[in-house]
Amino acid sequence: MTRKIAFLSSRAPIAQAALAELVARYGDAPEGEADVIVALGGDGFMLATLHRTQELDVPVYGMNRGTVGFLMNEYGEDDLIERLDAACEEVINPLSMRAESADGKLHHALAINEVSLLRGGPQAAQLRISVDGLVRLSELVCDGALVSTPAGSTAYNYSAHGPILPIGADVLALTAVAAFRPRRWRGALLPKGAVVRFDTCEPEKRPVMAVADATSVDNVLWVEIRSEPSIGHRILFDPGHGLEERLLREQFV
């Protein structure tokens, strides 16, 4: 059976050149009629593609025309059909964020990697953390904190010294960013079904912004985060180069 491939590309010149070459060789189907979407760019473009196409229930195969490319396969113009036929599929669930800003508005967003709270002014943020309705940390003074999925655990979470999570683990990482008090608090591992709530203390004096992947909300009063099992992002990887292998590799460098 002939595969219908929809090619998408970032605006980077190297990605645009790859797009022209691959479309000339393999054709280009409309997204709504495609059997698979091939995304050309970096991890940021891959996240944007997954968010934008989540209603299509079509797997996405990324080829790296960006920088890190953790979610991407190596770029190659030859044997694309064979690579797609042999690819392994990973399904990841995003995080759902609800937040109230100081103007009383409610905001909703999804995050494939993480939801972060970051100080929005010169003073450190002061956060109260609850898990499933129970206050677990009454005061965290920090530059910020985040909740990460396994897929996002090697991104900002890892830079903030959070743990790398196996892709199949039913846990989330709660990680502090430059914690001042408690000074040695490094975070927690939480069940995937946990509901995490951050309340900001002294929001006028210590403003905080919330970021769900590329969606940001300024001056939040509280943020509630949970896994969203009703949404599954389908990502294709070349054999031996899936997320499990990449997560393992990152821990031995």
Side-chain angles (χ1 to χ4, degrees), residues 129-187:
I129 303 175
S130 304
V131 179
D132 293 332
L134 181 64
V135 175
R136 292 292 184 178
L137 194 58
S138 59
E139 182 187 73
L140 173 64
V141 180
C142 56
D143 278 354
L146 60 90
V147 176
S148 169
T149 66
S153 64
T154 58
Y156 188 19
N157 172 72
Y158 192 37
S159 298
H161 306 289
I164 292 180
L165 305 176
I167 196 64
D170 288 331
V171 296
L172 304 173
L174 168 56
T175 301
V177 179
F180 177 73
R181 188 169 59 242
R183 191 177 295 272
R184 297 186 182 277
W185 192 74
R186 299 291 292 273

Side-chain angles (χ1 to χ4, degrees), residues 22-37:
L22 290 169
V23 168
R25 294 183 65 168
Y26 299 100
D28 191 21
E31 292 177 26
E33 300 175 13
D35 301 311
V36 62
I37 292 171

